[in-house]
Amino acid sequence: MDVHDGGSNALHGQVEPGAAPADPPASQGSRPDPAPATGRPADPPPREVPREAPREARTGVAALSLRYQIAAAVALAVVAVAVCVHIGIVFLHVAPSNTVTKQHGRAIDDWIYPEFEQNWKLFAPNPLQQNIAVQVRAQIDSADGSTRMTGWYDLSAEDGRAIDGNLLPSHTQQNELRRAWDFFVATHDGENRPVGLRGSLSETYLRRIVLLRLEREDAAGKGGTIDLVQIRSRTTNVRPPEWSEEKVSDQPVYRVLAWWSIPADSAEGYVK
């Protein structure tokens, strides 16, 4: 057959031997066929499993089992109680004599001696177990020439009333009178006689304080002057607690000083 007789069909219909068959022509606007369905959905991509953080190794009591943890807690509690009891007994041993030590002194000594003996004391000197009030009275020369005597002014009670309910009491209210009396007692003997130069100084200091307090109270009155003053202390024991068997006297003890004269120029701050 002549090549020209077949026309275009001869050119496209025949395949040369050994050549790959040509792809059929795609129609205009057509899309490639989708992949053939296999009957089941495609497998999802594998999920990443989060890795757990490495656990810290337990140490100490936490590494024990529950049974041993309970045993350790009980042992620690026993040791803590024993330490607290020991500290409390040592405190009572070195503390000043008080109601508890007088009632349980034998048990305290049995615990302390001989292993835990202490050669020191908690307070020096021992705290007071007494209430000391400083009181004063005066002899007044009135304007009409007569003489009268005032009653006792409790100066310590006045300071106590000024301190009660006061969040910021002054140093004068708390310590001036108390320290003046302590200064006097420390520099005088049992007969109220001064010991050395400091004894005379303590008298001057104490008289100045009581005179200022009397003037503050207007003890002399209108036209009167203070001629003499007398000071005394009133000491009472602090009552023990109700559960204590300790017995103390509830009777006050007085220490009365001699009459001290006040010069006329005391208004200028001079006390003889």
Side-chain angles (χ1 to χ4, degrees):
M1 179 183 292
D2 194 354
V3 175
H4 297 285
D5 293 338
S8 61
N9 294 331
L11 294 174
H12 298 286
Q14 295 180 357
V15 180
E16 295 180 3
D23 294 334
S27 61
Q28 185 178 1
S30 64
R31 297 180 180 179
D33 295 337
T38 59
R40 60 185 182 87
D43 295 335
R47 296 182 180 179
E48 294 183 0
V49 179
R51 297 180 179 179
E52 295 183 358
R55 296 182 180 181
E56 296 182 359
R58 293 182 178 182
T59 59
V61 179
L64 303 176
S65 63
L66 179 59
R67 181 177 59 181
Y68 289 105
Q69 288 182 0
I70 295 175
V74 172
L76 290 175
V78 171
V79 172
V81 170
V83 170
C84 292
V85 170
H86 176 72
I87 294 175
I89 294 179
V90 172
F91 171 82
L92 292 174
H93 175 69
V94 300
S97 178
N98 54 70
T99 303
V100 177
T101 56
K102 291 178 181 178
Q103 188 171 0
H104 303 286
R106 184 67 176 274
I108 294 174
D109 291 342
D110 292 343
W111 179 278
I112 292 296
Y113 295 107
E115 290 84 1
F116 308 115
E117 181 179 1
Q118 305 293 319
N119 293 322
W120 60 280
K121 292 297 181 182
L122 186 62
F123 297 103
N126 292 341
L128 292 176
Q129 297 186 14
Q130 298 173 327
N131 291 322
I132 301 176
V134 178
Q135 302 173 345
V136 62
R137 65 178 177 178
Q139 180 176 303
I140 307 298
D141 292 338
S142 302
D144 57 2
S146 61
T147 301
R148 64 181 178 87
M149 186 179 300
T150 67
W152 289 101
Y153 289 86
D154 195 335
L155 305 182
S156 298
E158 293 177 2
D159 287 345
R161 287 191 293 268
I163 294 173
D164 288 343
N166 189 350
L167 297 178
L168 298 172
S170 67
H171 176 76
T172 301
Q173 294 169 339
Q174 298 180 83
N175 299 315
E176 182 185 55
L177 182 64
R178 177 181 59 82
R179 298 190 66 176
W181 180 253
D182 291 343
F183 184 25
F184 177 87
V185 173
T187 55
H188 285 71
D189 59 17
E191 300 296 329
N192 299 325
R193 292 174 298 193
V195 179
L197 297 176
R198 288 175 59 84
S200 300
L201 179 62
S202 67
E203 289 183 8
T204 302
Y205 181 50
L206 183 59
R207 275 187 288 185
R208 185 186 299 275
I209 291 175
V210 298
L211 179 61
L212 292 175
R213 299 291 185 93
L214 290 173
E215 291 178 349
R216 187 188 304 170
E217 296 292 331
D218 195 20
K222 186 177 181 180
T225 58
I226 300 176
D227 185 34
L228 301 171
V229 295
Q230 187 178 32
I231 302 172
R232 73 177 183 182
S233 67
R234 183 178 186 271
T235 303
T236 55
N237 293 315
V238 176
R239 293 182 178 179
E242 296 180 356
W243 49 266
S244 173
E245 298 179 356
E246 182 181 2
K247 303 295 182 181
V248 297
S249 174
D250 57 355
Q251 298 299 319
V253 177
Y254 293 93
R255 180 172 181 174
V256 183
L257 308 185
W259 285 93
W260 291 342
S261 62
I262 303 298
D265 57 355
S266 60
E268 299 178 1
Y270 173 76
V271 180
K272 189 173 182 179

